[in-house]
Amino acid sequence: MALLNFAIETSCDETSASILKDNKVLSNIISSQQFHTEYGGIVPELASRAHINFIDQVSCTAFKESGIKPDKINLVSATQGPGLIGSLLVGLNYAKAFSVAKKIKFIGINHIESHLYSCFIGEKDIEFPFISLIVSGGHTILIIVKDYFKYKILGQTQDDAAGEAFDKAAKMLGLEYPGGPIIDNLARKGNAKFHKFPVSYVKENQYDFSFSGIKTSLLYYLRKNYTDIKAELSKNKMLLKDICASYQKAVIDTLIEKTLLAANNHGIKKIAVSGGVSANSRLRSEFKKYTEQGFSVYFPQKEYSTDNAAMTGYTAYLKFRYSKINRTMLEEPAFARFDYDNF
Ligand code: KG4
Ligand code: ZN
């Protein structure tokens, strides 16, 4: 019997609902909360309130677009964590209420795990092993994926996430939130060799990341060279683009260097890059160059890069098909445990 899966994702500031038939995405509706830009970052309380306002509408649109009636659904899935607790609660309880009302199975999904598998939505099969680089606003993790749900974490950020490094730099440059896509856009027309921003190395583990230092180096660079950066940027249109290109190069080159080090040291030729920062154009184009050296590099389609419910539903499908633990869990509708132990 086909799995008709209603999936919800509300871990941060996107309200998203998706309908999937087995591993095929029939609809994926994403409502982004633009109003956070005026605060320069996400305000958790406002995010939760907006989820409450939008979840019905987003879910109804997802059903309408898929052509599937709610009564046909036989699996409900929702992001269970990590994320902002108020935001998570809205989606999680909406999904659990749906599962209780319709007497169908519920499965809670790890958000990082759903980013990891987002690269393979639409692919026929997933071949293991591969190196996974997950780069989002909250996480930067390098993992060996040995099989479905079999992970070894090689390294992660010791302070800021890669997305945070972009967002904080954007704030210093007077740009809006989220800064990643804005810096990416400006950097396209800038000179990446304009200034060298140093990236800190973590001595204890060569696969760990540290991005708090680069943010400080941007701050010192701006203070040292410009008495009034805002006035300077409005006079010199190229300056902002050059700073963005140089800063972006430093962050992206570090991500690529460590991922390739992990791949080469473990003799693995397959790499999957996911999370919001995987939308970055330099990250994509630089990684692509390595395909000439025999690497296969997977990225999610752009709509599955930043937070979305299709990846939540796709991971629920994989759990249902390939995980014994979660098949048992599915016998208990509306109850799911955090399953971080094997992550
Ligand atoms: O995965 P995501 O939507 O949410 C989290 O789970 O955190 O990632 C959001 C992050 C933000 O920090 C945003 O600035 C960054 O992804 N981002 C980008 C780009 N698009 C989104 N960073 C660099 N370049 C981009 N094109
Ligand atoms: Zn995310």
Side-chain angles (χ1 to χ4, degrees), residues 120-132:
F120 303 104
I121 300 177
E123 295 281 325
K124 242 182 167 181
D125 290 306
I126 303 179
E127 279 173 26
F128 300 93
F130 61 87
I131 299 285
S132 167

Side-chain angles (χ1 to χ4, degrees), residues 36-47:
H36 293 289
T37 54
E38 64 185 272
Y39 301 97
I42 295 168
V43 185
E45 177 66 16
L46 297 181

Side-chain angles (χ1 to χ4, degrees), residues 115-152:
H115 272 303
L116 189 157
Y117 290 109
S118 67
C119 296
F120 303 104
I121 300 177
E123 295 281 325
K124 242 182 167 181
D125 290 306
I126 303 179
E127 279 173 26
F128 300 93
F130 61 87
I131 299 285
S132 167
L133 171 72
I134 305 167
V135 270
S136 72
H139 302 274
T140 302
I141 311 183
L142 203 49
I143 303 172
I144 298 186
V145 185
K146 295 176 191 159
D147 201 342
Y148 287 108
F149 320 116
K150 290 213 163 29
Y151 313 109
K152 182 171 188 265

Side-chain angles (χ1 to χ4, degrees), residues 13-313:
D13 60 336
E14 260 89 28
T15 316
S16 181
S18 173
I19 309 293
L20 297 93
K21 184 176 182 182
D22 288 326
N23 57 355
K24 198 165 165 244
V25 179
L26 302 181
S27 65
N28 182 37
I29 308 301
I30 305 166
S31 165
S32 296
Q33 303 174 0
Q34 300 299 342
F35 61 83
H36 293 289
T37 54
E38 64 185 272
Y39 301 97
I42 295 168
V43 185
E45 177 66 16
L46 297 181
S48 321
R49 286 167 189 265
H51 284 309
I52 291 176
N53 287 339
F54 287 111
I55 190 121
D56 260 327
Q57 200 184 325
V58 165
S59 302
C60 289
T61 312
F63 275 108
K64 209 166 161 193
E65 214 168 83
S66 71
I68 302 291
K69 295 263 179 296
D71 282 347
K72 297 284 178 214
I73 296 293
N74 51 19
L75 176 69
V76 191
S77 50
T79 310
Q80 186 153 345
L84 301 172
I85 193 65
S87 292
L88 286 165
L89 278 171
V90 177
L92 198 55
N93 283 310
Y94 194 91
K96 284 188 174 185
F98 190 96
S99 99
V100 172
K102 302 274 182 198
K103 295 191 173 55
I104 50 173
K105 322 284 190 196
F106 167 82
I107 183 165
I109 295 297
N110 181 302
H111 184 62
I112 304 171
E113 210 169 9
S114 65
H115 272 303
L116 189 157
Y117 290 109
S118 67
C119 296
F120 303 104
I121 300 177
E123 295 281 325
K124 242 182 167 181
D125 290 306
I126 303 179
E127 279 173 26
F128 300 93
F130 61 87
I131 299 285
S132 167
L133 171 72
I134 305 167
V135 270
S136 72
H139 302 274
T140 302
I141 311 183
L142 203 49
I143 303 172
I144 298 186
V145 185
K146 295 176 191 159
D147 201 342
Y148 287 108
F149 320 116
K150 290 213 163 29
Y151 313 109
K152 182 171 188 265
I153 296 184
L154 295 174
Q156 47 195 318
T157 183
Q158 297 302 299
D159 37 59
D160 290 349
E164 233 175 327
F166 278 106
D167 297 337
K168 288 180 177 172
K171 204 169 179 178
M172 279 181 225
L173 294 167
L175 303 169
E176 284 192 341
Y177 177 88
I182 302 173
I183 291 183
D184 186 1
N185 235 341
L186 289 162
R188 277 172 223 250
K189 291 155 220 144
N191 173 13
K193 290 186 182 146
F194 173 74
H195 181 78
K196 193 167 168 29
F197 289 103
V199 177
S200 332
Y201 275 79
V202 184
K203 281 194 202 99
E204 290 75 22
N205 177 5
Q206 59 182 343
Y207 302 124
D208 275 343
F209 302 88
S210 168
F211 288 115
S212 68
I214 188 172
K215 169 194 71 188
T216 316
S217 79
L218 172 64
L219 181 73
Y220 288 160
Y221 164 79
L222 295 176
R223 271 194 198 154
K224 190 176 158 207
N225 294 285
Y226 312 100
T227 39
D228 184 350
I229 183 66
K230 273 191 188 148
E232 199 68 43
L233 290 175
S234 70
K235 259 197 302 188
N236 180 352
K237 294 292 170 211
M238 268 319 286
L239 181 62
L240 181 60
K241 292 171 188 155
D242 289 342
I243 294 174
C244 286
S246 305
Y247 187 88
Q248 174 174 276
K249 176 179 162 40
V251 175
I252 297 301
D253 287 2
T254 307
L255 294 174
I256 293 175
E257 190 187 310
K258 292 200 184 241
T259 309
L260 286 170
L261 183 71
N264 285 327
N265 285 351
H266 293 89
I268 295 175
K269 286 282 187 188
K270 187 169 166 177
I271 294 168
V273 188
S274 59
V277 181
S278 73
N280 185 272
S281 54
R282 183 178 175 101
L283 187 68
R284 288 184 177 233
S285 60
E286 289 296 310
F287 257 129
K288 236 171 231 147
K289 291 181 186 164
Y290 290 91
T291 53
E292 285 153 25
Q293 293 177 25
F295 286 96
S296 313
V297 187
Y298 290 76
F299 280 94
Q301 289 169 40
K302 282 267 170 87
E303 70 170 307
Y304 306 137
S305 279
T306 44
D307 292 346
N308 68 90
M311 67 182 189
T312 314

